[in-house]
Amino acid sequence: MTVRRVTTDRSRPRTAALLAALAGGGLLLAGCSSPTPEPAPTETVTESASPSSSASKPAAAAGEPFGAGCSSLPNGGKVPQDASLTDVLGQFPQLSAFASAVDGSQVQQQIEEAGDVTVFAPTDTAFTALISSNPRLLLKPDELAKVLQYHVVRERLTEEELPGSFPTLAGSDVSITGADGTYVVDGETAITCGGIGAENVTINVVSSVLSPPSS
């Protein structure tokens, strides 16, 4: 069934929240201002049924967070095992921009419907670099959604299962290489702190925003 969704009203508050998150701590460059807003088009979204969570494999057992970047996160990246994705992201100020981009979006709904997932969460510094190079992305919610979808793998991966290629919510596969606590996504993006396990999600903090393959 095709559902017509007007993104204008919902995308503007989310854009403002994302800008506020990026501006926190002086992350946005002084010379990088958002372009004059243009009316956002009405977006037609075709939603397909998500695979039943019951068909997914059992949730992976939570292990210790790994990676040199864990020391910069509160409590070394450890979170309560019954915490949701929103709860986990809210505990890490370094991920506030990613949290603001996902919050209330169609991607958040897709994550909730997908069941067990693995999320690659870029830091605020990584989001700043993306928006600085492509500020108009904030005015294109459909393109931003595709970028966010590429950061979500449709299964929950333990550290031992990380090397390989895995389907994302964007429809294309993400590739992970490495071993012994050192892993790289798509050949260039480091997992700085991985294995942050919560209720039905494992979060891997990454050093840059992942770019989905061009269609």
Side-chain angles (χ1 to χ4, degrees), residues 5-15 40-42 141:
R5 179 179 298 140
V6 178
T7 60
T8 304
D9 292 337
R10 297 188 65 186
S11 62
R12 286 179 177 173
R14 200 158 55 244
T15 296
T42 298

Side-chain angles (χ1 to χ4, degrees), residues 31 36-37 42 91 111 116 121 140 150 157 171 179 201-202 208:
T36 302
T42 298
Q91 293 188 37
I111 291 174
D116 295 330
K140 300 177 179 180
Y150 189 64
L157 303 171
V201 59
T202 295
S208 62

Side-chain angles (χ1 to χ4, degrees), residues 109-136:
Q109 181 179 358
Q110 290 172 335
I111 291 174
E112 293 171 352
E113 293 173 350
D116 295 330
V117 296
T118 299
V119 175
F120 297 92
T123 62
D124 287 356
T125 302
F127 252 106
T128 299
L130 173 69
I131 300 305
S132 295
S133 62
N134 186 13
R136 294 186 66 83

Side-chain angles (χ1 to χ4, degrees), residues 201-214:
V201 59
T202 295
I203 297 176
N204 297 311
V205 180
V206 291
S207 59
S208 62
V209 178
L210 305 177
S211 299
S214 301

Side-chain angles (χ1 to χ4, degrees), residues 6-166:
V6 178
T7 60
T8 304
D9 292 337
R10 297 188 65 186
S11 62
R12 286 179 177 173
R14 200 158 55 244
T15 296
L18 180 53
L19 282 171
L22 290 170
L27 285 173
L28 280 178
L29 300 178
C32 178
S33 59
S34 179
T36 302
E38 299 173 356
T42 298
E43 180 185 5
T44 300
V45 179
T46 301
E47 296 183 347
S48 57
S50 299
S52 172
S53 59
S54 61
S56 62
K57 67 179 184 180
E64 288 291 314
F66 62 86
C70 294
S71 61
S72 66
L73 298 177
N75 202 30
K78 296 179 182 179
V79 298
Q81 296 305 300
D82 60 350
S84 66
L85 174 62
T86 300
D87 294 335
V88 174
L89 293 178
Q91 293 188 37
F92 301 136
Q94 298 92 332
L95 305 179
S96 60
F98 181 75
S100 295
V102 171
D103 184 39
S105 70
Q106 67 183 74
V107 180
Q108 182 182 39
Q109 181 179 358
Q110 290 172 335
I111 291 174
E112 293 171 352
E113 293 173 350
D116 295 330
V117 296
T118 299
V119 175
F120 297 92
T123 62
D124 287 356
T125 302
F127 252 106
T128 299
L130 173 69
I131 300 305
S132 295
S133 62
N134 186 13
R136 294 186 66 83
L137 185 63
L138 291 177
L139 301 177
K140 300 177 179 180
D142 54 336
E143 292 187 16
L144 181 58
K146 184 175 181 180
V147 171
L148 296 174
Q149 289 165 344
Y150 189 64
H151 288 73
V152 184
V153 167
R154 293 178 175 272
E155 59 181 301
R156 193 172 182 183
L157 303 171
T158 64
E159 179 183 354
E160 292 75 17
E161 296 170 324
L162 278 179
S165 295
F166 307 95

